[in-house]
């Protein structure tokens, strides 16, 4: 299936499933709270445009042709002046990028001093490695060069490796990228897992999300060891 067709499938699932919109809505709110009053906000990897529906003022960017975005561009060649962007937000984008460290450098270039990059991404723990390695359609390979994790740029935009955020954050301090880690909060992500993502086209019973939310709260003390996702905030020094 092409990238455009996959995103169209995501759009159909989004419109049909309120529980999916609720999970992403919580993530969007968390990202917006993390960047606070910093403006303008640029979203990298907008896909079908779900975040912009919740925050119409953000500048939506993506590389996939045919999408309704404000700016079409590669993530590692952002068409913004240096020190001009207040914040960059992303959901499930970093682990798709062919040059993640180059993107982080480019983000640092475009951000204003004190500007923030906030994202929600997959995270690697023992349970999540099993989940992503054997039960997910994307790759999960730790033994890659995070500078070029796919070997070349010749990849479909939606090809991913769930291990990339874990590897990129491990390299951040020694990479020379002028961004400091403000927050890194792993979370189990049961409310999202309970939706089965965008592969299910019909709404699930409401009690499923209620149970998932209760279990997420109960497992919060174990997030460090059981997380499947992470909430990350990086900041450009003043």
């Amino acid at each position: 299936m092409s990238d455009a067709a996959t995103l169209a499938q995501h759009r159909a699932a989004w419109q049909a499933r309120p529980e999916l919109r609720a999970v992403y809505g919580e993530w969007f709110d968390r990202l917006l709270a993390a960047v606070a009053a910093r403006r303008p906000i640029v979203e990298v990897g907008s896909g079908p445009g779900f975040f912009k529906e919740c925050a119409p003022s953000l500048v939506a960017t993506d590389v996939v042709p045919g999408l309704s975005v404000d700016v079409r561009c590669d993530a590692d060649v952002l068409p913004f002046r240096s020190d001009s962007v207040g914040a960059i937000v992303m959901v499930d984008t970093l682990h798709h990028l062919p040059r993640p460290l180059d993107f982080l450098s480019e983000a640092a270039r475009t951000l204003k001093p004190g500007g923030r990059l906030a994202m929600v991404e997959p995270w690697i723990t023992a349970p999540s490695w099993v989940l992503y390695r054997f039960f997910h359609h994307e790759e999960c390979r730790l033994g890659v060069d995070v500078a070029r994790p796919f070997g070349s740029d010749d990849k479909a935009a939606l090809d991913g490796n769930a291990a990339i955020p874990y590897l990129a954050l491990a390299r951040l301090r020694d990479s020379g990228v002028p961004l400091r880690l403000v927050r890194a909060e792993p979370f189990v992500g049961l409310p999202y897992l309970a939706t089965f993502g965008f592969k299910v086209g019909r709404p699930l019973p409401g009690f499923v999300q209620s149970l998932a939310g209760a279990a997420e709260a109960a497992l919060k003390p174990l997030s460090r060891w059981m997380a499947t996702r992470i909430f990350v905030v990086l900041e450009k020094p003043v």
Side-chain angles (χ1 to χ4, degrees), residues 37-140:
R38 295 167 178 84
R39 296 293 185 276
I41 301 174
V42 171
E43 182 189 12
V44 173
S46 300
F50 303 144
F51 204 158
K52 192 171 178 67
E53 289 181 5
C54 299
S57 64
L58 65 75
V59 179
T61 75
D62 207 295
V63 70
V64 178
L67 295 177
S68 179
V69 296
D70 299 309
V71 179
R72 186 183 169 201
C73 63
D74 288 326
D76 54 0
V77 189
L78 296 173
F80 305 108
R81 296 190 309 276
S82 299
D83 302 329
S84 67
V85 175
I88 297 173
V89 292
M90 307 191 307
V91 176
D92 285 344
T93 298
L94 185 66
H95 74 281
H96 292 287
L97 300 182
R99 289 173 283 182
L101 298 183
D102 287 354
F103 160 70
L104 292 176
S105 295
E106 183 70 347
R109 179 190 69 79
T110 61
L111 286 171
K112 300 175 183 177
R116 287 187 170 182
L117 166 59
M119 53 187 160
V120 173
E121 288 287 334
W123 192 240
I124 301 303
T125 58
S128 74
W129 182 85
V130 174
L131 172 69
Y132 290 126
R133 182 69 178 83
F134 298 106
F135 299 98
H136 197 259
H137 65 281
E138 295 172 356
E139 291 185 345
C140 182

